Amino acid sequence: MNKKVGAGVLTSVMALGVLAGCGGGGTGAGEQKDAQGGAASGGTTELRLYTYGTEQAYNWSQTVAAYEKQNPGIKVNVIGLSDKGDTQEALKKLDLAAASGEAMDVLMFSDAASYSQRVALGMVAPMDDYIAKDGFKVTEDYKVDTKINGKYYALPGKFNPWYVLLNKNMLDEAGLKVPTDWTWDDFMDYAKKMTKGEGANKVYGTYFHGPQNGGWVEYAKLALENQADNPDFIKADGSSNLDNPLFKKSLEIRLKMEKQDQSATPYTDMLSQKLNYRTQFFNQKAAMIAIGSWMNSELGGTDQVPLNFNIAVAPFPKNNAGDQGGYSPVATDYVSVAASSKHKDEAYKFIRWYTTEGQLVQGKNVPAWSKVKQEDMSKIIDTILSGTKNPEKVDKASLISVLGASKSGTIVPPATYQAEINKMVNEEFEKMVLGKQDLDTTVKAAQDRINSIIASNKK
């Protein structure tokens, strides 16, 4: 573990523990069955699963019931950390629960930085012995490699490549076709053509939900993320990737769309009004959004966010027309055994099931499990969309085409100090977009700061 970053986060977690002692505990604190760390009465073993995933988005009741039916004597208690599925809120509550000494068995992380940081803190247990005993290779059984520092601390759940959701009604009104192969220049052109209105009634061509608070940094590296190799702020060898011209291009896209074309929702509006990508898109305040395909389970509309128009799906844009397409950021859930768990064997067994067969039972996401055949994709999508209010309003053919062609570039194992890098890029981006420094100054400052961060973490 890096001592500098680990100590900083650990201090925060310990501080949360003090607050917990004063404030009466975090989420799930009152739900512990006994003092044995999860063993319920009658000889039943209780597994406590901490997750940001809501019932609506993850179908926990059905999923857990299926597992408990197959495994008598096991009870899975789902501890929801955010009613809204807010990953940052959930992470804070997870740290609070850990600092409070709550019984934990299975932990779910929504991004690589959060996952790697908790690995560095010793919060999760390695799975290598279990994987070796089961006789499979993660890189063969899953589409996402979760290895950190030569060990596996998680197995991946869903496989959610990013794509572009489009308001098909607005697309038709502007006389535009659903893109099947396009570039960021095309994306910007579409956004300009679909921007209309003024003031409170203005509809923007697109909405970017970040970066903010050190998260959602995908929106600060748009042109980097469609690459087969080195799609992140740091390279696989641990050196900076911010001297890559595509980092500067990523910032140029954001700057041009907001300041020059005025086709993207202002960053200040996102922050001051606490905007959300779901409501911006479904309330038709933005004609299209680049977002992760975790949205599949909501595309047809929900009780909370209804759908009143037709939706089409386009692939994540390329940089140049001649580039190979399909590459995009990929989101997954990192599902880990808690280091403090008193039921590690049972926790691992549940995780292995959940990240394979359990994904099909859950029926909410395309699995990262590579054993799912391509020809089964249509059935999976039907199952996912059937849980929405108006699946008929979704252009299923475009959705299946995009998901089928999507692929992850070479995944760079996240540094244990990834969150520190993300926060720094966020800070420099914010200075630029708020007019406090120009593009070249932003790029140079980010390059200098990332090199300093890398150097300090090698000590």
Side-chain angles (χ1 to χ4, degrees), residues 338-349:
S340 62
S341 173
K342 298 182 183 297
H343 309 287
K344 290 185 176 64
D345 292 355
E346 294 87 347
Y348 166 78
K349 183 179 178 182

Side-chain angles (χ1 to χ4, degrees), residues 167-170 281-284 298-302 304-311 389-390 392-393:
N167 183 315
K168 183 67 164 52
N169 297 35
M170 293 183 182
F281 182 67
F282 284 103
N283 289 347
Q284 303 192 71
E298 303 176 44
L299 290 188
T302 62
Q304 291 78 13
V305 189
L307 174 66
N308 298 307
F309 55 92
N310 295 314
I311 285 182
K389 292 294 184 180
N390 296 103
E392 74 281 354
K393 291 183 178 293

Side-chain angles (χ1 to χ4, degrees), residues 48 60 247 249 328 373 381:
R48 291 169 60 83
W60 288 119
F247 173 62
K249 179 176 179 177
S328 77
K373 298 179 181 178
I381 294 301

